[in-house]
Amino acid sequence: MKIFIYCLFTVMLFSCADVSNKSAFTGEAPKHNTAPIGTISSESIYQVTDTFQTQNDTKVTLASFAGKPTVVGMIFTHCTYACPRLTADIKNIEEQLKSANGKVNYLLVSFDSQRDLPDQLQKFANANQLDNNFTLLHGDENTVRTLSVLLNVQFEKDAEGNFSHSNVISVLDKKGALVFQKEGLDADPTDIISSIKQQL
Amino acid sequence: MITTFFCAGNAQKKVVFSGDKMVTVPSGNYQPFFITPNNKPIPVPAFKMDETAVTNAEFLEFVKANPEWRRSKVNRLFADTNYLRHWQSDLSIGESNKKIYNSPVVNVSWFAAEAYCKWKNKKLPTIAQWELAAKAAPKNLKYTSVTDFILDWYTKPNPKVLPNVKSTYQNEYGLYDMNGLIWEWTFNFNSFIASKDSRGNDEDELKNFCAGGALNVADKSDYAAFLRFSYRGSLKGNFCIANLGFRCVKS
Amino acid sequence: MIQISKREPRLKRAILPALLLLSFTFFMSSCKTNSGNNADESKIDTVLTGTVTAELTTAPNVPKPLTYTSPKKVMVTLETIEKVMPISDSSEYTFWTFGGHVPGNFIRVRQGDLVDFTLKNAPDSKMSHSIDLHAVIGPGGGADATSTAPGQSTHFQFRALHPGLFVYHCATGPVPLHIANGMYGLILVEPQGGLPKVDREYYLMQGDFYTKGKYNAPGLQDFDETKALAENPDYVLFNGKVRSTTGPNALQAKVGETVRLFVGNGGPNLVSSFHPIGQIFTKVYMEGGTEVNHDVQTTLIPAGGAAIVEMKMQVPEVINLVDHSIFRAFNKGAIAQIKVTGAENPSVYQKLKP
């Protein structure tokens, strides 16, 4: 009986430890490497110097994500079907890469320049329990369109301010070059995960 | 309007410019080609549009002022290996290419077109703006309908020498060659969210699109529009193609 | 000791049921369908034993029968080319093509092959193009992966799971226009073991064309969308041109030979009633599939479909191959010919005095 209690206690301890690592909704900005220009390759998407705002209302350029492989998805928060699924797919990838926690960036960029301002992005992050590895980005129309072209994502705004868009999960290497993409929802993430592992 | 005369030996320095003439396109409603679930037309406020497509001569000025957009320097992420391949060199269209100094510049990518328009404090037109501008009836066109004229152009091969701007037709807004010379880049060319195979009835594809599938077409017999949208759907941002150029707009 | 006699009645009693059982087993096994090679995937060897480049031919020629006996990776590249060519003696038309001719190149692979397919679009094309091969099981038959802008190329692979003669065509919107302008061809997936040997094989593909001007009007003709919607063509042709396969261009054969025709119908609209005047199809692989019919006078080839037909050359003659919706043959160009040479064969056919 004693042994059982000790085991139980140990298990509880470790599970608590897990939770504290993934401190959701603390509002802390994830730490980025502000990488010097030399670590961005000529194929890197990070060569685009447009400014985004994060869910914490911090100004960033894409170059600040250099140094770690990055998983990118494009969504908008008022989306009722596909975007929650895409977000869940990316969360699932993060879950399966638990061992690499903190070594991979997860980016969600919003199509919705008008409505997805930083506080709206923060609400979305909270509602979807996205941890510190996730950065949500707001950009102006030109900035977002440029990124979508670079990532081969199709999207369009309708008369009601909602978006039709393709669903693509992209993997960028540490220097920001696009190395892998997969289109579609609820897709098997095995090849995405192995691509990320190759970049670690 | 800047006009100077051709000087045979000095063609690079003195060229005929169409200038920065822009015309006003009045506000209107754009009915999307692909039927959306609410199927509402999109209101487009009035805007100004370049009277003609951007020419080789005009683009040369841009390249001179922006070294990162020269052919030998440009980043492949932003322009593929066909970028300005019809020019003689980085800063020369070429003596032998005199005939096309005032023809639309082609072999330029979306990124290059965007950069040019930004340099001029303008923008690329959205699809809604472009389609609205292109719908205006032609003046003095010997065709039964614009669709006929467009289909006719679409089904003819590319000419060996691309004619100058203003060589096809002018429309009611004063715009030249909206059809008949080149395809033109639009700001949101990557909005063709249907699957690339345009035949399907993809109910399952609904999963993929937030605002619903955009696969049904408003007018399936408008082959001209169909071809235009299919063409846009095959493009990537860094593609440089021999029959694809652009013009800019200003709000 | 002769003990057998005592056992005999028991043996006899055992033999009858045994025989019954045996014959029942034989009966059941022979009932298994014999009509050719169904795509039972468990039987297809998916291990590839090498890479080959497909031999591509221009109609009316067909690539040689394949001789390998295990699946290969087959490299195929097609280029889409827009080209003005004569459609009749006086008329020209802007054709959109696979390979620079109508129909497109003939592709020949074997069931089980993995086809590595590259589609290129010529740099001076006006349009973007794609491909849907009816032999492909996958989104759009390949169209989803091959939307190709001018000067670009796309790439995908597919397994030839099923044998048969399949149409391929461009699937870029508006699809009917791309097909109407000539963007179709055939891909043959040989069954395992190949097709039975014949003396000659040829390739024909029917298509209907719609022009603003009348049949054989002089000059470059434009596509007529109104006629196309009404399914009222000016031309119904084999291999994209009036008289493409007649007279000096007729197919050749000799008395005594067995000739096989791979016949496709690109449409876009019309179904063909394919008939050999002066001959009978000894074999028809109906709709290009696995079932074989025999002794057929006229076979239907659906739009977007195909048939494999065979004939035994018995007498010297000119065989006129027609679409037996006969105004098409007479007035719109739907005739091809096989010129058969050799010794007369009076026991089969002889003209007599009145």
Side-chain angles (χ1 to χ4, degrees), chain B residues 69-140:
Chain B
W69 286 106
R70 291 178 196 172
R71 189 168 73 183
S72 64
K73 290 198 167 27
V74 79
N75 186 306
R76 286 287 159 247
L77 198 62
F78 303 122
D80 71 18
T81 53
N82 293 316
Y83 180 62
L84 296 176
R85 66 203 284 245
H86 61 296
W87 283 15
Q88 186 179 70
S89 67
D90 273 15
L91 293 173
S92 165
I93 303 169
E95 261 294 301
S96 56
N97 286 329
K98 272 202 284 251
K99 286 195 190 145
I100 58 165
Y101 290 167
N102 294 314
S103 301
V105 68
V106 291
N107 291 319
V108 286
S109 64
W110 179 83
F111 295 103
E114 273 270 289
Y116 177 96
C117 290
K118 195 166 168 194
W119 182 63
K120 290 269 180 186
N121 291 319
K122 302 181 193 176
K123 296 193 230 182
L124 277 177
T126 61
I127 292 177
Q129 286 174 322
W130 195 96
E131 294 283 326
L132 203 64
K135 243 180 29 178
K139 300 182 191 175
N140 306 324

Side-chain angles (χ1 to χ4, degrees), chain C residues 89-126:
Chain C
D89 295 328
S90 310
S91 312
E92 284 186 319
Y93 190 79
T94 307
F95 291 96
W96 296 348
T97 72
F98 286 99
H101 26 250
V102 177
N105 295 336
F106 195 100
I107 307 170
R108 188 168 193 152
V109 301
R110 180 69 70 80
Q111 183 182 17
D113 283 346
L114 183 70
V115 180
D116 182 306
F117 195 100
T118 300
L119 187 70
K120 290 185 174 159
N121 190 352
D124 57 2
S125 287
K126 182 71 66 66

Side-chain angles (χ1 to χ4, degrees), chain B residues 35-81:
Chain B
I35 297 173
T36 55
N38 53 52
N39 209 25
K40 287 195 186 137
I42 297 177
V44 182
F47 61 99
K48 287 210 170 92
M49 186 177 239
D50 284 348
E51 186 188 44
T52 69
V54 174
T55 64
N56 281 299
E58 288 167 330
F59 201 77
L60 179 60
E61 296 309 301
F62 165 72
V63 160
K64 282 182 189 163
N66 296 276
E68 72 273 25
W69 286 106
R70 291 178 196 172
R71 189 168 73 183
S72 64
K73 290 198 167 27
V74 79
N75 186 306
R76 286 287 159 247
L77 198 62
F78 303 122
D80 71 18
T81 53

Side-chain angles (χ1 to χ4, degrees), chain C residues 176-192:
Chain C
L177 177 59
H178 285 255
I179 296 177
N181 285 342
M183 295 197 83
Y184 41 76
L186 289 179
I187 174 168
L188 172 69
V189 181
E190 288 183 348
Q192 288 170 7

Side-chain angles (χ1 to χ4, degrees), chain B residues 152-153 155 158 183 199 221 230, chain C residues 94 124 126 132 173 222 225:
Chain B
D152 201 39
W153 173 61
T155 54
N158 288 338
W183 302 102
R199 298 162 293 169
S221 74
S230 296
Chain C
T94 307
D124 57 2
K126 182 71 66 66
D132 166 6
D222 293 330
E225 189 180 334

